[in-house]
Amino acid sequence: YAPYATAEWTERLTIAFAEHRRWPANEAIKAKCLVYSGILAHYAQDICQPLHVTIHFDGRADADGQVPHTRIHEGVDSLIERLDLSDSAIAASVSPTSFEDIRAAVQMELRRSHALVDVIYDHEPEMRAASGEHAESFAAERSQAAAQFPASLLVSAWELSESVELPGSLRR
């Protein structure tokens, strides 16, 4: 459900931003914008983790779809901490842009992430050990994607909110 949830929370945040534009001093609306941003970021970042977008989420599933639970998922999820990637290093290359089509952007990131599933399994020992060129470059690229993609969705929601016409009868 992550692609749908990502698109939906971008839309919800767009409306919350529109309310914030109308009532910028309203603390409840500010809080709603922060909560919605956090939920959106969670789903968007999930899409950036390749093992979150495949049936092979914790080992290669067999023909019956049974997953062996090899704990590779845990190893990939923890790469950023184990490789000690700093927030500033991750954020340094982030340059958010606005998406014209949210659903298309979500699908593009989903495809980009899914294309890396085989990379994980081709280099599983490195991923498990959090060492080696493949693990390090994978972690750096995916952590930057996990910062860039949600940031671009936030920018998109802000820009889209400018054209939202809230009903005149709406009171906050």
Side-chain angles (χ1 to χ4, degrees), residues 89-160:
I90 294 168
S93 66
V94 173
S95 180
T97 58
S98 182
F99 298 124
E100 288 185 34
D101 184 336
I102 299 300
R103 285 177 177 79
V106 169
Q107 288 301 317
M108 185 183 309
E109 186 56 46
L110 182 72
R111 280 191 223 89
R112 188 178 299 125
S113 184
H114 188 266
L116 296 172
V117 171
D118 287 337
V119 170
I120 291 170
Y121 287 112
D122 290 347
H123 304 285
E124 189 169 348
E126 285 184 45
M127 300 295 178
R128 285 182 184 285
S131 65
E133 178 184 332
H134 296 290
E136 291 173 11
S137 65
F138 173 85
E141 189 278 327
R142 286 290 82 197
S143 62
Q144 289 171 348
Q148 175 77 30
F149 182 54
S152 293
L153 289 170
L154 294 173
V155 167
S156 300
W158 178 253
E159 289 183 4
L160 288 167

Side-chain angles (χ1 to χ4, degrees), residues 52-73:
H52 288 181
V53 299
T54 179
I55 189 173
H56 307 291
F57 63 91
D58 198 20
R60 292 225 186 252
D62 64 21
D64 294 329
Q66 297 300 310
V67 178
H69 300 289
T70 64
R71 300 187 66 155
I72 185 62
H73 190 121

Side-chain angles (χ1 to χ4, degrees), residues 80-96:
I80 292 173
E81 294 95 16
R82 293 185 299 140
L83 290 171
D84 199 26
L85 297 176
S86 71
D87 295 343
S88 58
I90 294 168
S93 66
V94 173
S95 180

